[in-house]
Amino acid sequence: MSATPSFIDQAIRMVQLTRFLKEAGIKNKEIAYALDMYPSAFSALINNVLSKLVESSQKGALTEQEIKAVFDQVNNVSELKTRRRIQEYLQKLEALKLQLFEVAERKPLNYIDNLINGSPGEILRLLEGVYHCYYISSFGYRVKREPFLIYFDARQRTYRVRKGNKQSPAWYEGFGYMSNNHLFTIQIAEKNTLSIDNFMAHFHLPPLYAETMEMLKGISISMSNSNLPIARKMLLHRVGNFSSLDDFNQLETLFFRREEGNENEIVRYLREQTSFIEYLPIPYPDYAPQDLVKENKVKELI
């Protein structure tokens, strides 16, 4: 005799809800108390009974005897009681999940704050310094090299980032953090302008941070001169340690003409590779798929 599908479906849903609540930070014993169960019994029910039933059901329908055999392997979980109360368990788990969403809605969005505060300081300290930042500028599509700075702001207790300085045509300021173990992310905004460009970039970090920090490769996303999104390869080449903002502001920004800079490996690399992805402005856009045909025609003309 085959088991009724509803019990297996309920088991699947209970395992899913429990996994979701645990990943959201609710402890095992808190879930157990919400279900009016002992933590040990709840753990046995989820790990030793329902999870096994769910795994076995993926291979085919289970018989009542097979289900009973799984329950018989544990001595603190009753099959009869579980069948009788599983719908109640599901309702209480759904209520817990709803409470999580309600709490999240009442709290301000602190995702970035958590990333900043959770970034490992020992790695960020190794990143501190002055760099030359290279990429293809959308101003004349020439290789651009400008000053780039990562430093610790003791007053705000964050790692600050500056791209360009007061001598540069445009300069940006913001913060940096570790968005995962191998990505250093910056979020910066253009200063002293009416049309603010918000700029983000991800830089890949090697496993052996202290040994290979001379150059970082990354991808940036910002606005082009036509106010359309542009993604570019960006390379940071370390110049030295940070000493003072006055010294940093003495560094100049360079635009390399086509015949200049070919002895520089980074400049040569950017010229030889596909180094940016850009949406082009088109006349009379419809904001519909036919705009893509127009953009390809504009690209051919360029």
Side-chain angles (χ1 to χ4, degrees), residues 255-267:
F255 289 89
F256 293 91
R257 296 190 182 93
R258 292 187 183 277
E259 67 276 8
E260 294 177 333
N262 286 319
E263 71 284 353
N264 184 310
E265 290 181 352
I266 297 176
V267 174

Side-chain angles (χ1 to χ4, degrees), residues 176-244:
Y177 55 87
M178 302 286 294
S179 47
N180 69 43
N181 291 338
H182 296 293
L183 278 184
F184 174 61
T185 297
I186 66 166
Q187 293 194 27
I188 52 181
E190 190 172 2
K191 310 296 287 187
N192 300 334
T193 181
L194 295 176
S195 178
I196 296 176
D197 178 18
N198 290 294
F199 187 108
M200 174 182 277
H202 297 290
F203 295 97
H204 178 258
L205 298 176
L208 301 175
Y209 302 100
E211 297 182 11
T212 55
M213 293 296 295
E214 182 183 351
M215 189 189 76
L216 298 178
K217 295 194 299 184
I219 297 290
S220 71
I221 301 174
S222 59
M223 282 195 311
S224 67
N225 290 333
S226 55
N227 293 331
L228 287 167
I230 182 170
R232 291 176 273 218
K233 288 184 177 180
M234 178 173 286
L235 294 102
L236 299 182
H237 189 222
R238 184 184 287 270
V239 176
N241 297 327
F242 172 58
S243 54
S244 73

Side-chain angles (χ1 to χ4, degrees), residues 137-206:
S137 171
S138 54
F139 181 73
Y141 299 98
R142 291 181 291 173
V143 176
K144 182 179 182 181
R145 190 193 80 186
E146 61 184 334
F148 191 96
L149 174 64
I150 303 170
Y151 70 102
F152 181 68
D153 186 333
R155 189 175 44 130
Q156 298 190 21
R157 300 195 62 78
T158 57
Y159 279 84
R160 307 289 293 177
V161 175
R162 292 193 178 195
K163 186 178 83 74
N165 56 23
K166 293 182 180 179
Q167 289 194 70
S168 304
W171 64 287
Y172 295 72
E173 187 172 19
F175 52 89
Y177 55 87
M178 302 286 294
S179 47
N180 69 43
N181 291 338
H182 296 293
L183 278 184
F184 174 61
T185 297
I186 66 166
Q187 293 194 27
I188 52 181
E190 190 172 2
K191 310 296 287 187
N192 300 334
T193 181
L194 295 176
S195 178
I196 296 176
D197 178 18
N198 290 294
F199 187 108
M200 174 182 277
H202 297 290
F203 295 97
H204 178 258
L205 298 176

